Amino acid sequence: MRTSLRTILAACCIAASATILRAQELSAPGLPADTARTCPPAAATAATASGAPIAEHPKTINEKRRERGLTDPRNLFVPKGQWVFGGTASYSTHTNEGYQFLIVEGIDSKGYTVRVSPMIAYALTDNMALGGRFIYSRTLLELDKAELQLGDEGSDTDLKANNYYSLRHNYSVAAIWRQYIPLGRNKRFALFNETQLSVGGTQARFTNDSPVKGTYETGYTLSLGISPGIVAFATNNMAVEVNVGVMGISYTHTKQVHNQVTVGKRNTSMMNFKVNIFSIGLGMAFYL
């Protein structure tokens, strides 16, 4: 009887040992993740039992950027291989009759300004496009008369302008780089930033007084600017865009010839870090 009990106890011990060994094999590397997670490593179990914190691998800069979502490839707005055609246009006109502005009195003038800027770009990668833009503007001002008065009666200074005429043409070509930033998972609205590297020229004519005195002016400009904006899709292929210049660096060289005799030159450079309200553009674009 005692021998039978000893045999049964030995068999139970052997079965228990086999079960423990089998559990350890299931937690070994190379098995499915769900199975391995059911049996934590001995080191982690020991660290948890002792109350010591488990060391975590520090995140890299690229991992933190992906968490922010700006470089998340799932935030697709403009896919690779898409063409973008668009542009902006504006026109304004004015007429003054006996108008007074601050200390300038009796203004009789008329004029207009027209500006067009077609654009073409190609998406080399998702949410990024390279292309070109052409910009042309024409400004006309005809001032029949205006009077500037400074001081009071008896000691005032009176300056007058009569028969002043000004016509200016500006044209430039720019290489552009666009980066689109989707607003979350929204597929209709997105922010974009347009960087422009442009070179252009200008021509202008000025005349005044009687007999007529005239000045002819030519020049060129080099500039680097940034214009952020927002784009809203009205349809799947047509969008409305609004952008504004906020900063830029420019260099301008101008040459004047007065009455076909006197020659003058001017060089100007400027670094601008403020919003330019005169560069606000509203236009349309087609994504094909």
Side-chain angles (χ1 to χ4, degrees):
M1 185 67 178
R2 292 180 178 179
T3 302
S4 299
L5 292 175
R6 290 175 180 176
T7 302
I8 293 173
L9 291 175
C12 292
C13 291
I14 293 173
S17 300
T19 302
I20 295 173
L21 291 175
R22 180 60 178 170
Q24 292 177 351
E25 291 176 357
L26 290 175
S27 63
L31 294 177
D34 293 340
T35 305
R37 280 197 296 267
T38 59
C39 301
T45 304
T48 304
S50 62
I54 301 176
E56 295 183 359
H57 178 71
K59 296 180 180 179
T60 65
I61 296 297
N62 290 331
E63 289 174 344
K64 294 179 179 179
R65 288 174 179 170
R66 283 193 292 269
E67 288 182 356
R68 190 167 61 223
L70 297 183
T71 59
D72 190 346
R74 294 174 298 176
N75 293 342
L76 179 61
F77 196 77
V78 177
K80 177 182 177 180
Q82 190 165 64
W83 285 94
V84 183
F85 300 90
T88 61
S90 63
Y91 176 78
S92 63
T93 181
H94 75 272
T95 301
N96 298 315
E97 295 182 1
Y99 184 73
Q100 179 175 346
F101 179 74
L102 299 179
I103 57 176
V104 183
E105 301 177 353
I107 302 175
D108 292 339
S109 67
K110 61 182 178 179
Y112 65 84
T113 297
V114 59
R115 185 178 186 272
V116 294
S117 179
M119 178 267 294
I120 182 174
Y122 178 77
L124 296 179
T125 63
D126 293 341
N127 296 333
M128 188 192 76
L130 293 176
R133 181 184 291 275
F134 177 75
I135 305 169
Y136 171 76
S137 65
R138 174 188 173 100
T139 302
L140 172 67
L141 172 63
E142 295 182 4
L143 179 64
D144 294 334
K145 64 176 183 178
E147 185 176 358
L148 174 65
Q149 292 185 351
L150 301 174
D152 53 8
E153 296 182 0
S155 61
D156 60 339
T157 301
D158 191 3
L159 301 177
K160 295 182 179 181
N162 296 307
N163 302 319
Y164 178 80
Y165 174 90
S166 170
L167 178 63
R168 178 180 295 272
H169 303 270
N170 291 296
Y171 47 88
S172 60
V173 178
I176 64 173
W177 172 70
R178 277 194 171 196
Q179 183 70 40
Y180 293 86
I181 305 175
L183 297 175
R185 305 296 180 188
N186 197 302
K187 299 299 183 180
R188 188 175 295 273
F189 297 94
L191 302 175
F192 71 88
N193 179 61
E194 181 175 307
T195 302
Q196 301 179 359
L197 177 61
S198 63
V199 55
T202 179
Q203 293 181 350
R205 297 197 304 268
F206 309 96
T207 63
N208 68 320
D209 291 338
S210 180
V212 176
K213 298 178 182 178
T215 301
Y216 180 72
E217 180 180 287
T218 59
Y220 64 85
T221 301
L222 302 174
S223 64
L224 174 65
I226 296 177
S227 299
I230 186 170
V231 55
F233 273 83
T235 66
N236 195 41
N237 299 106
M238 186 187 72
V240 179
E241 299 181 351
V242 179
N243 66 332
V244 59
V246 296
M247 63 175 294
I249 302 173
S250 64
Y251 170 80
T252 302
H253 171 78
T254 304
K255 178 182 178 181
Q256 286 184 339
V257 179
H258 182 63
N259 286 341
Q260 299 182 356
V261 176
T262 307
V263 177
K265 295 181 180 180
R266 181 182 63 188
N267 297 315
T268 60
S269 59
M270 180 180 65
M271 182 177 292
N272 181 19
F273 292 96
K274 62 182 180 181
V275 175
N276 184 3
I277 61 175
F278 298 103
S279 67
I280 296 177
L282 173 63
M284 298 181 63
F286 297 89
Y287 293 75
L288 306 177

